[in-house]
Amino acid sequence: MTRRKLIAGNWKMNMKTADGKALAEAVFDKCRPGLPFDILICPPMSLLGTIAGMNRSAGAVGAQDVAEAPKPAGAYTGDISAEMVKDLGAAYTLVGHSERRTLHGETDAVVRTKAANAIAAGLTAVVCIGETLAERESGKTLDVLRTQVNGSVPPDATAGTCVVAYEPVWAIGTGKVPTNADVAEAHAAIRAELGKLLGAETADALRILYGGSVKPSNAAELLAIDNVDGALIGGASLKIEDFWGIAETQQ
Ligand code: PEP
């Protein structure tokens, strides 16, 4: 099965209006129909409507999170539902990014609820998983990933409604990346576990992204590894030269 690569930028809590619009414009400018890969940018919620509403011929926009609340509207101060994100014109949302898991105490169960809310609203959920340095050093990486897949991915997910992003926590924003063999092993284990959860056909079609210190200089190599179907990019998604430098390796 050939899976179309997805190059996704997570802007985190960066960019005010002028800079965010300029960066999105620069990305959309390069997103010509006919590109051999898909592009996704995930601006902060403050800019989601503005950027999702911008003219473009290709390129998708996503949120970085959606509410866990069981209803699409109601007394949930400060929360933004998946329905509201969809209403703004977004097509995707991240869920379970390691910064949400660490800084906001999100468990696998919370992440799965958010992913299910996203899917119910018509969004594609990018479910983020990954081991900590302590877990890697104690040889628990594959067990952690299997547990996170089972706990965070809704059992009715499909290749159209769900993407998994493997992001070793210790590789995010640190400049460190796992070896190619480690990435290959992790992605193969994730796909095998998805096969048990969703069935072999769905697991085969579902995209698994690698995230963690991806930059133009290492992108071609990382994206050539078996079962790596794209990249989730933090720091390097904030500069058009870097973000497009990564995407261009897939031309
Ligand atoms: C991320 O935050 O999802 C990420 C991968 O960050 P960075 O590319 O900066 O490591």
Side-chain angles (χ1 to χ4, degrees):
M1 149 84 54
T2 42
R3 293 170 293 265
R4 213 173 136 81
K5 297 269 201 274
L6 174 62
I7 309 298
N10 170 17
W11 293 5
K12 310 194 186 192
M13 196 175 74
N14 292 293
M15 298 288 163
K16 290 194 270 188
T17 313
D19 289 346
K21 278 167 77 172
L23 177 56
E25 228 165 68
V27 172
F28 294 151
D29 224 42
K30 294 185 176 290
C31 283
R32 306 269 167 231
L35 281 176
F37 48 80
D38 295 330
I39 288 285
L40 166 65
I41 53 174
C42 300
M45 206 60 95
S46 53
L47 288 177
L48 190 64
T50 304
I51 291 177
M54 282 167 65
N55 256 342
R56 61 188 184 276
S57 49
V61 178
Q64 297 173 13
D65 188 34
V66 291
E68 183 199 354
K71 294 190 280 181
Y76 302 99
T77 302
D79 282 338
I80 297 177
S81 69
E83 280 75 1
M84 291 168 167
V85 163
K86 174 78 177 171
D87 181 55
L88 290 176
Y92 288 77
T93 186
L94 309 181
V95 289
H97 189 279
S98 82
E99 286 146 23
R100 302 292 315 173
R101 291 179 186 261
T102 308
L103 303 173
H104 298 269
E106 293 188 6
T107 60
D108 283 336
V110 168
V111 175
R112 182 165 54 189
T113 300
K114 290 184 169 193
N117 287 351
I119 293 170
L123 297 169
T124 296
V126 181
V127 178
C128 304
I129 61 174
E131 82 286 359
T132 63
L133 186 58
E135 288 163 345
R136 172 156 292 270
E137 284 176 343
S138 55
K140 293 192 191 128
T141 298
L142 299 187
D143 285 342
V144 168
L145 297 179
R146 290 185 188 111
T147 302
Q148 289 181 330
V149 166
N150 279 300
S152 306
V153 175
D156 59 350
T158 67
T161 62
C162 187
V163 171
V164 170
Y166 168 56
E167 302 202 294
V169 177
W170 53 272
I172 296 178
T174 59
K176 294 182 189 150
V177 285
T179 64
N180 291 354
D182 285 342
V183 173
E185 184 184 44
H187 279 241
I190 291 165
R191 195 171 307 284
E193 203 60 26
L194 287 169
K196 289 186 214 157
L197 184 68
L198 308 175
E201 207 176 312
T202 298
D204 190 39
L206 199 147
R207 292 189 282 195
I208 305 174
L209 313 184
Y210 168 79
S213 297
V214 179
K215 42 192 190 235
S217 58
N218 63 14
E221 196 176 336
L222 285 163
L223 285 158
I225 297 170
D226 261 6
N227 288 306
V228 175
D229 308 314
L232 181 54
I233 304 149
S237 70
L238 298 175
K239 285 196 189 137
I240 187 64
E241 315 83 77
D242 291 344
F243 186 60
W244 208 258
I246 293 167
E248 259 181 341
T249 65
Q250 303 306 303
Q251 283 280 13

